[in-house]
């Protein structure tokens, strides 16, 4: 699969991100901002490493604004055997898909499943391969 977003004829979208997958949760920074009332409130900023990763991912994504229920199957090919949390990898990917306007949101009405997602080892070619498939709605409003 070539890097970038590929729309297939059967309603499936494939995306290949040729970068080592990164989570948002590692090395987060607690920062402070001033409110209009002069109070300082804390907020959490993703690590510089994740911010760089996100910036490199966005040009590979095509704005599709998918708002119907989908399954997001992601295969994360990691460069090392170091323990990694699949849930955190999925969270980071979903946020990037929303920021890149592939999906309109990552709530349970849009991403109804992540069936088939896995973590693999590929020291030579770390990457993320994503298949987004339309599915029947399962979450009632």
């Amino acid at each position: 699969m070539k890097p970038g977003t590929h729309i297939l004829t059967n309603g499936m979208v494939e995306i290949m991100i040729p970068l080592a997958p990164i989570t948002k949760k590692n090395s987060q920074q607690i920062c402070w901002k001033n409110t209009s009332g002069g109070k300082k409130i804390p907020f959490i900023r993703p690590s510089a490493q994740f911010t760089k990763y996100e910036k490199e991912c966005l040009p590979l994504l095509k704005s599709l604004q998918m708002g119907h229920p989908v399954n997001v199957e992601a295969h994360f090919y990691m460069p090392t055997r170091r323990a990694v949390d699949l849930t955190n990898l999925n969270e980071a990917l979903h946020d990037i898909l929303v920021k890149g306007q592939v999906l309109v949101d990552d709530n349970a009405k849009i991403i109804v499943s992540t069936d088939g997602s896995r973590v693999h080892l590929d020291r030579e070619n770390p990457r993320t391969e994503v298949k987004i498939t339309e599915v029947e709605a399962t979450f009632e409003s």
Side-chain angles (χ1 to χ4, degrees):
M1 179 186 321
K2 293 181 181 179
T5 305
H6 308 281
I7 302 165
L8 305 179
T9 56
N10 59 359
M12 184 189 303
V13 173
E14 291 185 335
I15 300 169
M16 203 275 270
I17 300 169
L19 305 165
I22 306 264
T23 67
K24 289 178 78 166
K25 299 236 172 171
N26 292 346
S27 304
Q28 291 178 324
Q29 305 165 16
I30 299 176
C31 299
W32 298 85
K33 65 180 174 181
N34 293 323
T35 65
S36 58
K39 291 170 74 175
K40 286 191 172 202
I41 58 170
F43 70 97
I44 297 176
R45 176 182 295 165
S47 68
Q49 186 181 18
F50 175 78
T51 302
K52 179 179 183 243
Y53 173 72
E54 179 182 61
K55 187 176 181 179
E56 291 174 351
C57 289
L58 292 176
L60 300 169
L61 304 177
K62 203 175 276 183
S63 176
L64 301 174
Q65 294 291 326
M66 297 172 78
H68 45 274
V70 296
N71 177 66
V72 178
E73 177 185 343
H75 291 261
F76 301 97
Y77 293 85
M78 306 303 291
T80 67
R81 287 193 187 277
R82 210 171 114 212
V84 65
D85 187 336
L86 176 61
T87 303
N88 290 344
L89 287 168
N90 274 328
E91 179 186 358
L93 173 65
H94 297 168
D95 288 347
I96 289 169
L97 292 174
V98 171
K99 189 163 187 176
Q101 299 180 349
V102 175
L103 302 174
V104 297
D105 203 338
D106 58 353
N107 66 47
K109 292 181 182 180
I110 306 295
I111 300 177
V112 298
S113 62
T114 56
D115 295 347
S117 293
R118 302 275 187 277
V119 177
H120 309 275
L121 174 68
D122 190 338
R123 295 182 197 279
E124 304 300 318
N125 187 22
R127 65 196 179 279
T128 303
E129 294 181 357
V130 183
K131 291 181 186 171
I132 302 173
T133 311
E134 291 182 40
V135 296
E136 254 184 66
T138 59
F139 189 76
E140 299 299 322
S141 43

